[in-house]
Amino acid sequence: MRWLFWGAGAIGGTVAAHAIRAGHDVVLVDANAAHVEAIRARGLRITGPLAEFTVPATALTPDEVTGEWRAVLLCTKAHHTRQAAEQIAARLAADGYVASLQNGLNEHVIAEVVGRERTVGAFVNFSADVLEPGVIHFGGRGAFVLGELDGRITPRLEELRDLVAAFDPQVEVTDEIWAYLWGKLGYGIMLFASALTNASIVEALEAPDAQPVHAALAAEVLAVARAEGVTPRGFNGFDPEAFGPEGTEEARRRSFAAMAGFNRLSAKTHSGVWRDLAVHRRKTEIDAQYGPVLAIAERRGIPMPLTRRLAELMHEVEDGRRPQDWANIRELASALAASQRA
C-alpha cells in the first residue's frame, strides 16, 4: 500500500513522518519548493517535546507527481483545497479515495471534484507548526477521528486508521464525522478571534472580557450546524452543549476552563491562524472555513452578525489596515452588544 500525502506542512508532515518511521510507503507532495528541497537534502525532521527524529522521505512538487494513486491524504490549507483536489483527480485511481486532513467543510469541495463516494472525512486537533523548510515542531496531541461521509465503517476507513495509528494510537473511526467537523468549527471560531490579538490561546480563553465574545461566536456557528441536522460533538474540553440554547453560564465556565487546561499542556502557545498573520504575513483560512458556514446561514435565514464582523476584522488585519491587538476583542464585544440590543 502506497500513501500520497498532498501537503507536507504541519498536519501532513507530522503524520507522514511518523508513518514513514513505522515503515509505511509514503510519498510527500508540497507546493513549497524550498520545503521539498530541504526534505530531499536532509530528510523530514520532527522536533518538540513529544518527538525528536528525522526520516528520509520522497518529496515532490505537484507537477512532479506521476502514476495512479489509490489513497491520497489531502493536508493543505482550506483555501487550497479545490486546486489540490483538481490536481489529485488527474492521478486518482478508479478505486481511489481522498481523505481530508484539514479544518473546515472541505469534504464538500473534494466531493465536487472527485465524487462523494471517493471522499473520506477526518477531524484533527493536534498541535504542530512548520518552523523552517524540512522542520516541523510537534507541540501536543489532540483528538483525531476518521469517518466516511455516509457514516459507514468500511475497509478503507480501517486501513486509513491503521496508517494514522503510527502517529496516534488513539485515533478513532466514527459514523458521524460531520458532528466532529462542525464541532471543530464551533471551537475554531474562538481561535480566529484570539488570533486578532497577540495573546496566547490560553490567555484568550481565560480572559473574562473575551469569554462572552467567544461564547457568542461558537453559538452562532453551532446554530447553523443544528439547522443542518447535525449535533456537534465535543472534544479536548470543548463542550458544544455549553454554547447551545440550553447551555448555562456554569457549563460555559467549565468548558472554558477545560479548553484552557488542554491547551496549557501543548508546547504550541498560539494558533496557526495567529502564525499566518504574525509570522507568515499571509491570508488566513477565515473565508475558506467560515464562508461556507455563512452561506448556509444566509440560505436558512440564520443571522451571524458577530461572525461576519470577525471576518471583516480579520480581513483588515490580513491587509495590514489593523494591528493584532486586544482592541479587536473590544470591537467584537461592542458588535455583540449591538446585536443583543437589536
Side-chain angles (χ1 to χ4, degrees):
M1 184 67 184
R2 302 180 71 210
W3 303 89
L4 188 66
F5 280 74
W6 201 284
I11 293 176
T14 304
V15 177
H18 283 79
I20 293 169
R21 186 174 66 167
H24 292 281
D25 188 353
V26 168
V27 173
L28 304 173
V29 179
D30 203 275
N32 185 331
H35 191 46
V36 169
E37 287 303 318
I39 294 171
R40 287 172 174 172
R42 299 183 295 276
L44 179 57
R45 179 186 170 197
I46 302 298
T47 187
L50 301 179
E52 192 75 47
F53 66 91
T54 301
V55 292
T58 301
L60 309 171
T61 55
D63 59 296
E64 294 174 326
V65 179
T66 61
E68 284 193 341
W69 294 84
R70 180 173 165 267
V72 182
L73 283 71
L74 179 49
C75 312
T76 66
K77 292 284 189 179
H79 43 283
H80 300 312
T81 300
R82 185 172 295 277
Q83 179 184 17
E86 290 173 349
Q87 292 171 315
I88 292 167
R91 295 295 177 188
L92 195 60
D95 62 344
Y97 65 90
V98 180
S100 168
L101 271 62
Q102 302 168 284
N103 291 314
L105 302 175
N106 303 293
E107 287 79 358
H108 288 308
V109 177
I110 297 168
E112 289 176 8
V113 177
V114 305
R116 186 178 176 86
E117 72 285 354
R118 298 206 289 175
T119 305
V120 176
F123 157 80
V124 296
N125 195 48
F126 66 86
S127 301
D129 292 304
V130 176
L131 298 183
E132 60 184 80
V135 181
I136 297 173
H137 180 264
F138 176 28
R141 293 198 175 278
F144 204 135
V145 184
L146 308 168
E148 294 281 3
L149 304 191
D150 60 7
R152 294 178 301 133
I153 305 300
T154 61
R156 71 182 184 185
L157 193 61
E158 293 174 344
E159 72 181 11
L160 182 59
R161 176 185 57 191
D162 291 342
L163 172 80
V164 174
F167 163 68
D168 184 356
Q170 303 302 314
V171 61
E172 301 177 27
V173 296
T174 183
D175 59 1
E176 51 177 356
I177 191 63
W178 295 109
Y180 284 97
L181 294 176
W182 277 100
K184 183 64 178 290
L185 285 167
Y187 168 70
I189 196 72
M190 302 183 191
L191 299 184
F192 275 88
S194 72
L196 291 173
T197 79
N198 279 308
S200 70
I201 296 173
V202 172
E203 290 169 340
L205 289 172
E206 291 185 328
D209 52 340
Q211 287 184 351
V213 169
H214 289 147
L217 285 164
E220 286 188 353
V221 173
L222 297 174
V224 180
R226 289 191 297 272
E228 287 285 277
V230 176
T231 300
R233 288 289 300 267
F235 58 92
N236 300 143
F238 177 63
D239 177 10
E241 292 186 6
F243 302 97
E246 306 300 322
T248 65
E249 184 61 33
E250 176 60 21
R252 288 188 288 274
R253 185 195 65 77
R254 287 197 302 267
S255 186
F256 277 121
M259 288 186 288
F262 168 77
N263 280 283
R264 191 173 281 109
L265 298 174
S266 175
K268 179 183 170 116
T269 59
H270 291 67
S271 69
V273 185
W274 179 88
R275 287 183 65 85
D276 283 340
L277 296 171
V279 178
H280 300 297
R281 308 292 181 181
R282 65 190 181 193
K283 298 288 186 180
T284 70
E285 296 178 278
I286 186 70
D287 293 331
Q289 284 194 39
Y290 292 95
V293 179
L294 289 167
I296 295 169
E298 184 172 2
R299 187 170 69 246
R300 292 187 173 276
I302 301 172
M304 298 187 73
L306 201 59
T307 302
R308 293 186 185 279
R309 183 60 182 140
L310 168 61
E312 292 170 355
L313 295 175
M314 188 63 67
H315 293 152
E316 291 178 17
V317 175
E318 289 173 345
D319 296 340
R321 293 179 287 124
R322 176 182 289 269
Q324 287 173 276
D325 189 87
W326 200 258
N328 296 323
I329 296 296
R330 293 193 291 271
E331 177 73 19
L332 287 173
S334 296
L336 172 60
S339 69
Q340 292 172 334
R341 290 192 300 267

